[in-house]
């Protein structure tokens, strides 16, 4: 566990280790109050954030360390004045950990290649592993043992959160069904790889363009924005038309298990990927899910620092 770039690189054991640590950190935060004393996390952002920025910064404070917010657009690295390689070599001499939210996953891989400190993927065009660790923690809290549960994802399949959910679920043995329109299905290489993980962990991955097939009897119904941060605003009208059959509304929720929970990594648009009735209704766990970003990431910071 040197970096957290993608859950595809982590074993199921490593994922469960972090989840178990997150449970302890959440239950007894005071026990971890000084564990990262004098440590600095650099937080590099190329895109907006509410949850990721605040949970990492608050998490470092709670662990006794410090976090620096670093805006890519005002850095020599962002302006093309300094290479990623030189920048991360300098950062490695001054900080203890880096988290980066970048447009291009390839830039993150370049950082990891030249860094001598742990690098954490805080969302790229490819994946969002921190989100999925918090999601697994939330599902475990609400449903117990993850193995054998079924998660249905509805909406944009060619999406960072979807890809990471596929990696996370198939690693831990949770069935996952992705319901997405043709042309917006998950990346082929992710599907191929997750089929292998599913075989190893004894679960099933289904990718379908039929929302009813995806959601039937599911324990967890999950959706994400149709307008991810990198999607241009002028594509919105077309995307609404394409994704509307995949909206999570009361009729679709009724096809999941009666005690199914509803999740969305947030930010959410009521009336788009889900109705207000669903996200504000009794089956929704979205704010517990958001809170768990804090606890799961504190566990990641501790693991990658080698102190827990
Ligand atoms: N879910 C998530 O990553 O939210 P932010 O974009 O607010 O960080
Ligand atoms: N898929 C979304 C996730 C936001 C947390 C995006 O990339 O904007």
């Amino acid at each position: 566990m040197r970096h957290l770039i993608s859950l595809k690189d982590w074993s199921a054991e490593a994922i469960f280790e972090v989840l178990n640590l997150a449970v302890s950190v959440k239950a007894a935060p005071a026990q971890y109050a000084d564990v990262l004393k004098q440590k600095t996390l650099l937080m590099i952002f190329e895109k907006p954030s509410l949850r990721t920025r605040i949970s990492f910064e608050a998490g470092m404070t709670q662990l006794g360390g410090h976090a620096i917010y670093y805006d890519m657009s005002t850095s020599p690295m962002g302006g093309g004045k300094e290479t990623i390689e030189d920048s991360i070599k300098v950062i490695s001499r001054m900080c203890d950990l880096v988290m980066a939210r970048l447009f291009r996953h390839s830039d993150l891989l370049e950082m990891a290649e030249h860094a001598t400190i742990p690098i954490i993927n805080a969302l790229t065009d490819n994946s969002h592993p921190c989100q999925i660790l918090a999601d697994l923690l939330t599902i475990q809290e609400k449903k117990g043992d993850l193995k054998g549960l079924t998660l249905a994802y509805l909406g944009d399949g060619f999406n960072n959160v979807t890809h990471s959910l596929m990696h996370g679920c198939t690693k831990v043995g949770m069935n996952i069904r992705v319901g997405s329109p043709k042309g917006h299905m998950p990346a082929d290489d992710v599907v191929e790889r997750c089929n292998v993980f599913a075989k190893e962990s004894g679960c099933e991955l289904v990718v379908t363009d039929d929302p009813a097939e995806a959601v039937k009897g599911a324990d967890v119904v999950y959706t994400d924005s149709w307008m991810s941060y990198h999607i241009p605003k002028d594509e919105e009208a077309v995307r609404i038309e394409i994704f509307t059959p995949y909206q999570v509304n009361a009729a679709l929720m009724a096809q999941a298990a009666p005690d199914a929970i509803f999740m969305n990594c947030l930010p959410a648009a009521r009336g788009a990927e889900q109705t207000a009735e669903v996200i504000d209704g009794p089956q929704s766990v979205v704010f517990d899910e958001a809170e768990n970003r804090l606890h799961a990431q504190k566990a990641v910071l501790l693991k990658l620092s080698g102190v827990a």
Side-chain angles (χ1 to χ4, degrees):
M1 255 191 253
R2 189 169 156 241
H3 301 298
L4 175 51
I5 302 295
S6 167
L7 292 178
K8 81 177 162 61
D9 308 321
W10 276 27
S11 64
E13 292 69 34
I15 293 172
F16 281 119
E17 248 180 64
V18 164
L19 294 180
N20 290 341
L21 182 58
V23 170
S24 306
V25 168
K26 186 172 180 176
Q31 274 181 24
Y32 299 87
D34 291 318
V35 186
L36 293 188
K37 201 170 167 200
Q38 303 289 328
K39 303 282 184 201
T40 301
L41 168 73
L42 187 70
M43 309 190 298
I44 304 173
F45 280 96
E46 212 175 14
K47 300 184 193 185
S49 170
L50 173 73
R51 282 143 290 271
T52 305
R53 182 201 170 161
I54 296 174
S55 54
F56 268 111
E57 190 161 341
M60 278 306 280
T61 305
Q62 292 172 19
L63 295 168
H66 177 69
I68 301 171
Y69 175 78
Y70 194 54
D71 178 1
M72 191 73 149
S73 70
T74 55
S75 78
M77 191 173 24
K81 181 113 182 103
E82 191 157 18
T83 62
I84 287 179
E85 179 174 345
D86 284 357
S87 306
I88 204 71
K89 282 179 177 168
V90 172
I91 292 164
S92 293
R93 302 284 182 108
M94 298 172 180
C95 297
D96 302 284
L97 298 141
V98 169
M99 59 121 286
R101 169 166 285 195
L102 306 176
F103 283 102
R104 285 183 299 269
H105 193 70
S106 54
D107 288 349
L108 188 77
L109 293 175
E110 197 178 337
M111 275 185 193
E113 187 187 337
H114 300 290
T116 55
I117 57 175
I119 304 288
I120 299 168
N121 177 355
L123 184 148
T124 65
D125 56 358
N126 169 278
S127 43
H128 194 8
C130 292
Q131 178 65 52
I132 275 54
L133 291 171
D135 295 340
L136 294 177
L137 179 63
T138 310
I139 297 166
Q140 197 175 267
E141 284 174 353
K142 306 290 177 191
K143 295 274 161 205
D145 199 0
L146 297 174
K147 236 180 163 22
L149 293 173
T150 297
L151 180 146
Y153 175 91
L154 278 305
D156 187 3
F158 193 79
N159 179 34
N160 42 25
V161 167
T162 321
H163 291 158
S164 290
L165 270 174
M166 290 166 67
H167 286 141
C169 289
T170 56
K171 282 268 176 174
V172 303
M174 263 178 77
N175 304 305
I176 172 163
R177 300 194 211 120
V178 179
S180 301
K182 292 200 172 85
H184 297 272
M185 297 277 189
D188 291 342
D189 64 318
V190 178
V191 175
E192 219 168 281
R193 190 182 306 123
C194 288
N195 271 322
V196 176
F197 295 156
K199 205 169 250 173
E200 284 165 5
S201 68
C203 66
E204 196 188 12
L205 164 68
V206 173
V207 179
T208 172
D209 64 354
D210 177 0
E213 183 191 349
V215 84
K216 193 166 176 268
D219 303 294
V220 181
V221 181
Y222 197 117
T223 190
D224 183 15
S225 175
W226 298 341
M227 289 298 294
S228 284
Y229 290 126
H230 63 282
I231 310 269
K233 185 83 184 144
D234 63 8
E235 290 183 23
E236 190 167 18
V238 174
R239 290 177 70 89
I240 288 174
E241 205 178 310
I242 293 170
F243 288 116
T244 292
Y246 300 83
Q247 181 190 65
V248 181
N249 50 35
L252 200 67
M253 276 305 285
Q255 298 173 58
D259 61 349
I261 54 172
F262 170 77
M263 300 178 77
N264 182 327
C265 60
L266 307 179
R270 287 166 177 77
E273 72 272 8
Q274 71 284 288
T275 55
E277 186 184 10
V278 168
I279 195 169
D280 299 322
Q283 287 169 283
S284 173
V285 300
V286 297
F287 296 110
D288 293 331
E289 179 185 6
E291 181 194 323
N292 278 337
R293 293 293 303 277
L294 174 69
H295 309 297
Q297 284 157 203
K298 284 169 75 177
V300 170
L301 292 166
L302 293 171
K303 278 283 174 201
L304 294 181
S305 300
V307 296

